[in-house]
């Protein structure tokens, strides 16, 4: 089959026009045999050539005009690939539709490229942060071991102290590796939640008991604000919720004031319980609030007060809350304190 070029198309249409018009012409001229045939043939050739060139010129012009819009679009997209704004075209002919398709294709590509660029940047930052956090404990361990090997081992006044310090750094490394492992498993969806009916009040009391010593060291009073201590049933993964509450309570101590207080309260919503953990500690600056759930983010205050941590705790907390289909939020005023609130699904009556 011949492809449909403007020449072929014009030829076909011109032929059809010439046949029809010649037949009409033939019936309207006096039927004097040879002369009428000659006249009709001449008329046919004239109409054919005239309509052929007229059609060819018009079709080529039309296609050219429409194609130049597409070329223009591609040219602009090449020059300004970031632009994701969509121009509106009246898509009432096939060529304008092609133009629109080009734009849509470009927008989809641009979105994909942006997503990949973000992922690449995130991956680079993540690796950079991990190696940065690994450096300190590893170099510390190396320093202690070298001192011990270079004679410190025989020196009764430092050998035990240096071994204990090396062991502290190993502990720090293990903590970092555990947190990274948790983040990666939460990211890849590897962690399965074991959703059960659990008593939130009992769970919170157990967490408070487990961190009491830490709180006492800073003379911080942790209390549950509730009229009665009757069970509050929720549907959640017990270990994960324990981890969330432990992280938030430990933070309220780490970033709490000496002789301060941490209060835990529960608001009964229709289908959820809103858990609030409020401290009167250092608080968070407005401009830093939106970033505290980011991985490896530590506020200026945390760095100033030399609080140990990798900035991974809150990001794990947020991941777990979201894996439960719930939300977490923070309110904070610098030098006054912070309140972390998150929802949990209420269990139905048994
Ligand atoms: P880290 O291990 O550094 O404590 P987190 O992810 O738990 O990491 O917290 C991230 C940052 O958020 C902390 O470094 C600290 O700056 C800030 N932050 C967390 N909890 C509190 C709080 N209760 N009060 C003030 N700042 C907080």
């Amino acid at each position: 089959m011949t492809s449909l070029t403007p020449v072929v198309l014009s030829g076909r249409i011109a032929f059809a026009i010439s046949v029809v018009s010649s037949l009409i012409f033939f019936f309207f001229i006096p039927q004097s045999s040879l002369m009428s045939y000659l006249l009709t043939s001449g008329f046919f050739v004239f109409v054919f050539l005239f309509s052929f060139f007229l059609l060819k010129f018009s079709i080529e012009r039309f296609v050219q005009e429409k194609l130049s819009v597409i070329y223009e679009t591609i040219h602009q997209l090449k020059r300004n690939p970031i632009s994701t704004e969509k121009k509106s075209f009246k898509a009432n002919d096939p060529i304008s539709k092609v133009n629109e398709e080009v734009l849509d294709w470009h927008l989809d590509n641009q979105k994909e490229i942006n997503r990949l660029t973000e992922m690449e940047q995130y991956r680079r930052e993540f690796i950079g942060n991990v190696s940065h956090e690994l450096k300190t404990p590893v170099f510390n361990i190396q320093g202690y071991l070298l001192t011990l090997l270079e004679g410190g081992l025989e020196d009764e006044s430092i050998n035990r102290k240096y071994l204990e310090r090396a062991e502290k750094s190993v502990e720090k490394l293990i903590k970092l590796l555990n947190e990274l492992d948790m983040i990666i498993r939460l990211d890849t969806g590897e962690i399965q939640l074991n959703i059960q009916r659990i008593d939130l009040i009992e769970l919170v009391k157990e967490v408070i008991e487990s961190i009491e010593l830490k709180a006492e060291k800073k003379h911080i009073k942790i209390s549950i604000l509730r009229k009665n201590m009757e069970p509050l049933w929720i549907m959640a993964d017990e270990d994960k919720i324990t981890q969330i509450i432990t992280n938030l309570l430990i933070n309220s101590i780490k970033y709490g004031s000496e002789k301060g207080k941490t209060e835990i309260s529960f608001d009964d919503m229709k289908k959820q319980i809103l858990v609030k953990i409020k401290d009167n500690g250092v608080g968070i600056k407005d401009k830093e609030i939106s970033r505290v759930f980011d991985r490896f983010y530590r506020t200026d205050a945390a760095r100033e007060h030399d609080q140990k941590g990798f900035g991974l705790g809150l990001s794990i907390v947020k991941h777990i809350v979201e894996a439960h289909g719930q939300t977490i939020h923070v309110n904070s005023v610098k030098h006054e304190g912070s309140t972390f609130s998150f929802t949990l699904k209420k269990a139905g009556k048994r």
Side-chain angles (χ1 to χ4, degrees):
M1 218 176 103
T2 41
S3 58
L4 205 59
T5 60
V7 174
V8 176
L9 186 64
S10 316
R12 283 183 190 169
I13 301 173
F15 182 76
I17 294 174
S18 329
V19 169
V20 173
S21 53
S22 302
L23 281 174
I24 298 169
F25 180 81
F26 184 71
F27 284 111
F28 279 99
I29 54 166
Q31 304 286 307
S32 60
S33 60
L34 187 63
M35 195 55 192
S36 62
Y37 286 116
L38 280 174
L39 269 174
T40 308
S41 308
F43 182 79
F44 177 88
V45 173
F46 172 75
V47 173
F48 179 79
L49 290 177
F50 180 77
S51 45
F52 173 76
F53 286 111
L54 189 67
L55 279 165
K56 183 173 165 286
F57 174 75
S58 312
I59 293 173
E60 276 176 353
R61 238 195 112 126
F62 174 78
V63 173
Q64 193 61 41
E65 248 173 41
K66 294 296 176 181
L67 281 184
S68 67
V69 177
I70 299 175
Y71 283 134
E72 171 75 1
T73 307
I74 295 174
H75 182 68
Q76 273 177 12
L77 295 178
K78 268 190 190 163
R79 270 197 322 190
N80 183 18
I82 305 301
S83 149
T84 46
E85 135 207 357
K86 192 175 169 180
K87 286 184 192 160
S88 61
F89 283 94
K90 280 185 218 111
N92 44 14
D93 63 83
I95 295 179
S96 298
K97 277 201 177 124
V98 171
N99 196 28
E100 233 183 296
E101 292 275 316
V102 169
L103 263 180
D104 284 345
W105 171 81
H106 164 75
L107 291 180
D108 288 348
N109 272 356
Q110 200 55 48
K111 275 188 207 147
E112 186 60 12
I113 291 170
N114 288 348
R115 196 181 65 82
L116 292 175
T117 315
E118 262 171 34
M119 269 175 62
E120 176 56 18
Q121 179 163 349
Y122 167 73
R123 195 186 63 84
R124 253 189 263 139
E125 270 175 21
F126 189 74
I127 293 175
N129 284 327
V130 171
S131 59
H132 175 79
E133 295 297 342
L134 282 172
K135 260 184 214 158
T136 320
V138 170
F139 287 161
N140 284 347
I141 295 169
Q142 190 189 33
Y144 298 133
L145 292 181
L146 278 177
T147 317
L148 288 170
L149 286 173
E150 286 163 4
L153 205 55
E154 284 75 39
D155 184 345
E156 293 281 321
S157 66
I158 61 157
N159 57 9
R160 191 170 180 86
K161 194 163 77 188
Y162 274 39
L163 274 178
E164 278 168 0
R165 284 187 187 170
E167 142 68 14
K168 272 241 150 27
S169 295
V170 171
E171 243 176 54
K172 197 173 172 190
L173 265 183
I174 293 175
K175 183 171 183 280
L176 172 61
L177 293 176
N178 281 339
E179 288 188 354
L180 283 174
D181 180 54
M182 182 66 142
I183 287 232
I184 288 164
R185 286 198 294 144
L186 281 165
D187 249 359
T188 51
E190 238 179 81
I191 289 190
Q192 298 287 321
L193 294 181
N194 175 21
I195 304 286
Q196 285 175 322
R197 190 181 154 89
I198 47 177
D199 176 11
L200 186 58
I201 303 294
E202 192 53 38
L203 186 148
V204 171
K205 279 190 195 160
E206 278 168 21
V207 175
I208 296 177
E209 260 180 50
S210 72
I211 58 163
E212 229 160 30
L213 271 180
K214 275 196 169 72
E216 274 168 17
K217 271 192 194 156
K218 246 178 139 173
H219 308 285
I220 287 179
K221 189 171 180 310
I222 303 181
S223 40
I224 298 179
L225 300 187
R226 192 165 153 84
K227 282 193 203 107
N228 60 58
M229 289 296 161
E230 273 173 22
L232 195 52
W233 296 104
I234 54 159
M235 293 302 289
D237 181 313
E238 188 168 359
D239 289 346
K240 304 286 175 301
I241 301 303
T242 305
Q243 188 171 359
I244 293 181
I245 294 173
T246 310
N247 270 353
L248 293 177
L249 286 183
I250 288 185
N251 276 355
S252 81
I253 300 170
K254 267 164 65 177
Y255 307 107
S257 326
E258 279 281 331
K259 298 195 182 124
K261 59 180 180 185
T262 297
E263 290 167 345
I264 307 155
S265 60
F266 309 94
D267 287 349
D268 201 337
M269 293 156 74
K270 246 187 183 170
K271 291 185 174 166
Q272 291 145 312
I273 301 286
L274 180 69
V275 186
K276 286 191 197 151
I277 298 187
K278 180 173 180 222
D279 64 59
N280 59 348
V282 295
I284 305 166
K285 284 186 204 156
D286 274 355
K287 67 174 171 74
E288 293 182 306
I289 286 187
S290 61
R291 299 208 53 197
V292 291
F293 293 106
D294 290 355
R295 283 163 200 190
F296 294 105
Y297 186 76
R298 307 190 64 218
T299 60
D300 294 341
R303 280 187 279 261
E304 275 162 27
H305 290 75
D306 196 26
Q307 279 300 344
K308 310 270 179 296
F310 305 111
L312 289 173
L314 283 182
S315 124
I316 293 177
V317 164
K318 186 164 191 260
H319 248 304
I320 297 178
V321 170
E322 285 173 357
H324 279 79
Q326 304 296 319
T327 52
I328 182 158
H329 183 74
V330 55
N331 272 320
S332 188
V333 179
K334 187 81 191 141
H335 302 307
E336 285 185 22
S338 316
T339 304
F340 285 83
S341 2
F342 62 97
T343 55
L344 286 172
K345 188 170 180 252
K346 253 167 66 172
K349 294 221 162 55
R350 263 215 268 238

